[in-house]
Amino acid sequence: MGKWIAIILLSITTIGAGVWGYKENQDKNAVLIQAENSYQRAFHELTYNVDLLHDKIGSSLAMNSRNRLSPQLAEIWKISSDASSDVGQLPLTLLPFNKTEEFLHDIGEFTYRTAVRDLEKKPLSEEEIQMLEELHKKSGEIEGELRKVQNVVMKDNLRWMDVELALATNDEVGDNTIVNGFKTVEKSMDGFEESVTKTGLGSSGPEKSFRHLEGEKIDEKQAKKIASQWLEKVSTDKLTVTKSGKGADVPMYTASFQNGDKNGYIDLTEKGGHPLTIMISRKVGEPKISLYEASEKAKEYAEGLEISNLELVESNQYDNMGVFRFLYTQNDVRFFPDSVVVKVALDNGEVLGMSARDYYNFHSERELNEPEISLEEARGKVNPNVEIQENHLSVIENDVNEQVLCYEFLATMENTTYRIFINATNGQEEKVETLKKAEMKFNQEV
């Protein structure tokens, strides 16, 4: 009898393990299919948007009506933004693609700057027409290369998940059609930068090249140790480290881990080992700590960056998470481009995310001019229907990527809070942001 009971129990256990394994495999396959579909959609949308860019730029060269040219350029700006977004959704983190991204950025910035000015008073110059012609030519080359990749992808049913795996493991085996295709697109950009320099129409905003990173280069072993410290509860033996490819905007190491239902990663700069992005994913339970307590956790965590003069300016609650924004300050001026964001779980106070990319991207010591209009003059530029609660001097990046000194006003109207920026030089209203109520919880115990 005991023998039969043992056989039955063993059979039940075997069947149970098989069912569990089958379900786990199904769940993994579902995630892979979702990721693959997302990559395929982004790639085909990128190809479509580059086609559209080429056509629209060509149409603008043929236009004679300045009334029609401005909206056409504005549309090109929007399409270039969509194309940049598509690139960001592809698994190209480890594949250098920064020249093409800069190309799309240059299209957007050039067309936006041109579209917002009065073309009746200041029509396109010969240099700007030359720039449009160059953009048309290069977008056509990119269009052709992307079409080649698209045809092979569809014909041979290639998978983007295989591309991601090959890039992550430096695997040269197998069909690298997609990778080679994107390398060809990137190579076609070699002559474009020289053309931009000659016309003098390149980006005029601050350079986003991490030029001011401090410290010595770290190796893979050091990256793993630093990553373990930032990820707190993850030991070095559970981390997988990958180095970025040549030509990336900033050379870095990515350390990742998987521990049951919990996983995450951290991006560290090769120079100095500075953390750019930290993300940990797990199920977050019901809140057990206040937003204020979470903000103290965020402050303590941000102190590990060893950045002087970081000020907490926003505290938000999204579901069971607290999200906190810190800004670099210099002589009581707040620098919005130099920001650090920390995400804290409200169930136990664990830090589940941090982004310091903007800080390391933009930060440098600036020489600021004194405001040319007074605080009262700036107040006079604010909508009289809002009630001003507080004010600061701040530096922001405006719509054309220029850093400008502004008077920042926090104001309310009909239970809605706004952040209003008035240019401290010319009194122009630079930007108005609508804030959520949670963002008013500045340094308050809640």
Side-chain angles (χ1 to χ4, degrees):
M1 187 69 174
K3 178 181 178 182
W4 283 106
I5 292 174
I7 292 173
I8 292 170
L9 288 175
L10 181 61
S11 300
I12 292 173
T13 303
T14 304
I15 293 171
V19 171
W20 176 83
Y22 174 74
K23 187 178 184 306
E24 184 180 39
N25 188 57
Q26 274 194 321
D27 291 342
K28 287 182 179 178
N29 285 339
V31 172
L32 290 174
I33 291 171
Q34 184 177 359
E36 179 65 27
N37 290 342
S38 177
Y39 291 152
Q40 291 285 357
R41 177 192 53 75
F43 171 64
H44 292 299
E45 286 187 1
L46 171 63
T47 305
Y48 170 76
N49 281 323
V50 171
D51 285 352
L52 208 55
L53 266 180
H54 181 63
D55 292 343
K56 294 291 183 182
I57 295 172
S59 298
S60 67
L61 286 168
M63 283 182 178
N64 192 38
S65 169
R66 290 176 186 138
N67 290 333
R68 288 291 310 133
L69 185 55
S70 287
Q72 178 83 347
L73 292 173
E75 189 174 359
I76 293 171
W77 166 65
K78 181 182 180 302
I79 296 168
S80 68
S81 177
D82 290 341
S84 295
S85 176
D86 296 332
V87 171
Q89 296 175 58
L90 292 173
L92 300 172
T93 307
L94 304 176
L95 175 67
F97 208 55
N98 49 305
K99 289 181 183 177
T100 304
E101 289 180 294
E102 287 172 11
F103 169 75
L104 293 171
H105 170 78
D106 287 336
I107 290 179
E109 181 166 318
F110 169 68
T111 51
Y112 180 85
R113 284 176 176 272
T114 311
V116 297
R117 83 174 189 232
D118 189 341
L119 292 176
E120 289 290 341
K121 295 179 179 178
K122 192 177 179 182
L124 292 179
S125 66
E126 287 298 322
E127 289 81 7
E128 288 171 326
I129 293 172
Q130 180 185 343
M131 180 65 165
L132 266 180
E133 291 172 345
E134 185 65 25
L135 292 174
H136 184 244
K137 176 185 174 184
K138 284 297 175 185
S139 62
E141 292 177 10
I142 294 177
E143 176 189 24
E145 294 300 333
L146 288 177
R147 280 298 182 195
K148 290 179 185 177
V149 177
Q150 186 181 48
N151 289 335
V152 176
V153 167
M154 296 177 71
K155 178 183 175 184
D156 297 339
N157 197 26
L158 300 180
R159 298 195 320 159
W160 279 90
M161 294 301 296
D162 294 336
V163 177
E164 186 173 39
L165 180 62
L167 289 172
T169 60
N170 294 316
D171 185 11
E172 296 295 332
V173 180
D175 192 335
N176 288 329
T177 303
I178 296 178
V179 174
N180 292 337
F182 274 88
K183 285 181 177 178
T184 302
V185 172
E186 186 74 352
K187 186 171 177 56
S188 71
M189 291 295 102
D190 287 346
F192 177 72
E193 291 174 314
E194 185 179 347
S195 300
V196 172
T197 304
K198 285 181 180 178
T199 58
L201 297 172
S203 302
S204 60
E207 289 188 36
K208 301 180 182 180
S209 56
F210 300 87
R211 288 183 301 130
H212 300 281
L213 287 174
E214 297 179 351
E216 299 295 322
K217 285 187 177 181
I218 63 172
D219 57 25
E220 185 174 316
K221 184 177 180 181
Q222 291 171 309
K224 186 174 284 192
K225 183 178 179 181
I226 295 170
S228 178
Q229 293 170 348
W230 280 106
L231 295 172
E232 295 183 312
K233 299 177 182 179
V234 182
S235 59
T236 54
D237 60 315
K238 292 184 178 179
L239 290 172
T240 301
V241 178
T242 308
K243 190 175 181 181
S244 62
K246 294 180 180 179
D249 58 348
V250 53
M252 65 182 183
Y253 290 96
T254 297
S256 60
F257 74 92
Q258 177 76 48
N259 184 14
D261 293 335
K262 186 176 181 180
N263 60 77
Y265 71 90
I266 177 173
D267 292 333
L268 295 168
T269 62
E270 182 184 32
K271 183 176 181 181
H274 303 291
L276 298 183
T277 307
I278 299 172
M279 187 63 66
I280 298 173
S281 176
R282 68 166 173 83
K283 185 177 180 180
V284 180
E286 291 298 313
K288 293 182 180 178
I289 66 172
S290 69
L291 197 62
Y292 173 76
E293 290 173 308
S295 73
E296 292 298 300
K297 296 274 188 181
K299 285 181 186 177
E300 183 180 351
Y301 195 80
E303 286 173 1
L305 294 170
E306 298 183 352
I307 299 173
S308 58
N309 304 321
L310 272 186
E311 177 185 347
L312 175 63
V313 298
E314 293 176 11
S315 302
N316 301 290
Q317 181 172 340
Y318 298 101
D319 297 324
N320 301 336
M321 306 288 295
V323 180
F324 307 94
R325 187 181 188 187
F326 298 84
L327 297 182
Y328 171 73
T329 63
Q330 177 184 325
N331 299 326
D332 294 325
V333 178
R334 292 152 46 136
F335 288 80
F336 276 80
D338 303 22
S339 68
V340 175
V341 178
V342 179
K343 184 168 68 172
V344 179
L346 297 179
D347 58 355
N348 63 3
E350 181 184 8
V351 174
L352 295 184
M354 181 175 74
S355 176
R357 181 175 286 271
D358 284 346
Y359 175 85
Y360 290 112
N361 215 351
F362 285 101
H363 181 69
S364 64
E365 295 301 321
R366 289 90 150 180
E367 290 292 332
L368 295 177
N369 296 325
E370 291 294 321
E372 295 186 20
I373 65 172
S374 67
L375 175 60
E376 288 307 311
E377 286 176 308
R379 280 179 179 268
K381 304 292 184 179
V382 176
N383 188 324
N385 295 320
V386 302
E387 184 177 344
I388 296 174
Q389 303 295 328
E390 59 182 81
N391 63 267
H392 307 271
L393 271 176
S394 302
V395 170
I396 67 168
E397 191 175 53
N398 63 14
D399 290 338
V400 291
N401 299 324
E402 296 172 335
Q403 290 193 13
V404 290
L405 179 64
C406 294
Y407 287 102
E408 172 197 348
F409 295 99
L410 208 63
T412 57
M413 182 174 63
E414 297 180 355
N415 298 320
T416 302
T417 305
Y418 301 92
R419 182 177 279 126
I420 302 169
F421 296 96
I422 304 297
N423 191 303
T425 300
N426 56 27
Q428 177 180 330
E429 186 178 70
E430 290 285 353
K431 187 181 294 186
V432 177
E433 299 176 350
T434 302
L435 307 184
K436 297 179 181 179
K437 291 182 180 179
E439 291 180 329
M440 286 298 294
K441 298 174 183 175
F442 295 105
N443 304 319
Q444 297 177 16
E445 293 197 25
V446 293

